[in-house]
Amino acid sequence: MSASGPLSGLKVVEFTHMVMGPTMGLILADLGADVTRVEPIGGDPTRRLVGSGSGYFPMYNRNKKAVFLNLKAPEDLAKAHAMALDADIVLENFRPGALERLGLSYEALSKENPRLIYCSAKGFLAGPYENRTALDEVAQMMGGLAYMTGPPGRPLRAGASVIDVTGGMFGVIGVLAALAEREKTGRGQAVKCSLFETTAFLVGQHMAQKAVTGKAANPMPARISAWAIYDVFETGDDQQIFVGVVSDSQWKTFREAFDLGEIGADETLAANNARVAARDRILPVVRATFKQFTLAELAAKLEVIGLPFAPITRPEDLFDDPHLLAGGGLVEVGLPNGDRTLLPALPLEMNGQRMGVYLDPAKVEPEDVAG
């Protein structure tokens, strides 16, 4: 399978590692761009991470080529320079100043390639923090997301690299906007995305809540919900399911479908805010009702009546998810050990089609270790 898609014909060079930078390259590659990663001799150290980092490389580096260069060697640096000058887009996410010292900055390259779009993924945009080193977790902690995720007094990072990935997505948005502008002006530009400002954007709804109500948002485990039924419930077979009833019409449907006794017959609960005020009365009845069903029975009933619900699922359960399997939501990717697995596709359809895999993550060959 060869590269195709809306970005086919565009050349991208990546100087990236870990998650944020490779995410940008993954998105562009899945959309058809010709993406080549520049890795050090022996390969990007991200390849060798263990534990929670062991999935980074296979997840974010499909559909890319790779070259292995020692950028401290003049000959290899010259090769990297030539690649960048021939590119439409350069991506990088190293510490501020790292590529500048090698003559691979936007300022240096754009003098010879004025059409170049150069996207830097950093910890911070311009300001007092811009030279700090950051990580996804650093941004979550200082940007308010960890505070909102954990219970009071126990900040907790989200269970995935949400800031790295979302920050990379914003980087791609900037790149695509720069491509559109280049069509009009003939010139490229520098684009910069960041972890901290991405986090601030994500918690903006809580900042707005404070501005609107005058009261600071509580962490999510201690929040006052906007809806009476918006929680995780136990089923009769000791499984868990999330159910949300988020409108008055949904409440009507819900109470007609389930025997809620006096709560269901109480017309004073027809309006949402009245139900929120009576949450302590409503929830015990709903919990007892749901315990009369198995997870499968309850999910089937909720699907028929059209209410929002979700069984509590672990990431490994998604390998067998019937929706992902049927709709092309999982694509086959080669792993470093030679095995093959299914991993999530880009969450887009274009002209009714999903994006596939035409290149497995590049392997490190013996000659690439030797240099």
Side-chain angles (χ1 to χ4, degrees):
M1 184 177 181
S2 60
S4 62
L7 300 185
S8 60
L10 288 173
K11 288 186 179 180
V12 180
V13 175
E14 265 194 54
F15 298 91
T16 70
H17 64 146
M18 300 294 275
V19 176
M20 191 183 187
T23 294
M24 296 192 296
L26 167 71
I27 296 169
L28 296 172
D30 274 16
L31 290 170
D34 181 350
V35 179
T36 302
R37 299 189 80 229
V38 176
E39 299 188 40
I41 302 300
D44 176 2
T46 304
R47 294 172 176 270
R48 298 181 287 277
L49 292 177
V50 298
S52 62
S54 59
Y56 291 174
F57 192 84
M59 177 60 208
Y60 300 111
N61 289 290
R62 63 175 179 247
N63 290 337
K64 303 176 185 178
K65 306 169 189 172
V67 297
F68 301 88
L69 301 175
N70 175 9
L71 296 182
K72 295 181 180 179
E75 183 178 342
D76 281 5
L77 180 57
K79 291 178 182 177
H81 188 268
M83 290 173 61
L85 290 182
D86 189 45
D88 293 284
I89 301 160
V90 166
L91 309 174
E92 67 92 9
N93 72 321
F94 284 90
R95 290 187 65 174
L99 292 189
E100 284 82 350
R101 289 189 289 271
L102 296 169
L104 294 171
S105 67
Y106 171 73
E107 289 73 19
L109 295 171
S110 62
K111 291 176 182 177
E112 299 178 75
N113 179 5
R115 289 178 57 81
L116 180 66
I117 294 166
Y118 188 106
C119 186
S120 296
K122 302 298 183 186
F124 306 90
L125 297 182
Y129 307 154
E130 65 184 304
N131 291 317
R132 289 189 189 179
T133 301
L135 301 165
D136 186 297
E137 199 146 339
V138 168
Q140 291 196 37
M141 295 293 172
M142 70 183 297
L145 183 59
Y147 171 83
M148 290 303 300
T149 302
R154 292 171 55 195
L156 181 68
R157 68 155 286 164
S161 302
V162 292
I163 305 303
D164 274 325
V165 174
T166 309
M169 292 165 60
F170 279 118
V172 172
I173 292 170
V175 166
L176 296 178
L179 283 168
E181 188 165 12
R182 192 177 74 173
E183 288 296 306
K184 295 181 284 187
T185 66
R187 296 191 62 84
Q189 62 183 282
V191 176
K192 191 173 177 182
C193 57
S194 72
L195 296 170
F196 178 60
E197 282 80 0
T198 292
T199 312
F201 189 86
L202 293 184
V203 302
Q205 66 190 81
H206 305 306
M207 296 169 66
Q209 178 183 335
K210 173 65 164 64
V212 169
T213 67
K215 297 180 180 179
N218 288 321
M220 296 300 280
R223 72 196 186 280
I224 298 174
S225 176
W227 305 283
I229 302 173
Y230 197 80
D231 213 332
V232 175
F233 300 88
E234 302 286 335
T235 61
D237 53 349
D238 296 323
Q239 301 296 310
Q240 292 181 306
I241 188 170
F242 169 83
V243 180
V245 178
V246 297
S247 70
D248 294 341
S249 61
Q250 286 186 0
W251 168 253
K252 184 174 184 295
T253 299
F254 180 73
R255 71 176 188 174
E256 289 173 352
F258 292 91
D259 180 10
L260 303 178
E262 293 181 3
I263 291 291
D266 189 343
E267 294 301 329
T268 68
L269 300 177
N272 180 72
N273 289 351
R275 292 193 298 277
V276 172
R279 197 166 190 261
D280 290 344
R281 288 175 52 213
I282 294 172
L283 282 181
V285 174
V286 174
R287 293 191 190 283
T289 301
F290 284 174
K291 286 291 281 186
Q292 299 173 29
F293 298 86
T294 66
L295 176 64
E297 291 168 344
L298 186 56
K301 190 175 182 69
L302 291 166
E303 184 162 9
V304 167
I305 63 177
L307 291 186
F309 72 93
I312 307 306
T313 299
R314 300 168 298 180
E316 59 266 30
D317 297 331
L318 298 180
F319 286 117
D320 301 311
D321 185 271
H323 179 83
L324 292 175
L325 290 170
L330 299 175
V331 292
E332 188 175 289
V333 178
L335 298 176
N337 64 3
D339 291 344
R340 303 193 68 77
T341 190
L342 295 174
L343 292 174
L346 207 65
L348 287 173
E349 286 184 7
M350 299 187 71
N351 286 326
Q353 299 295 314
R354 299 295 297 267
M355 290 74 195
V357 175
Y358 51 89
L359 288 174
D360 284 333
K363 295 181 179 179
V364 181
E365 304 296 344
E367 60 268 24
D368 301 319
V369 176

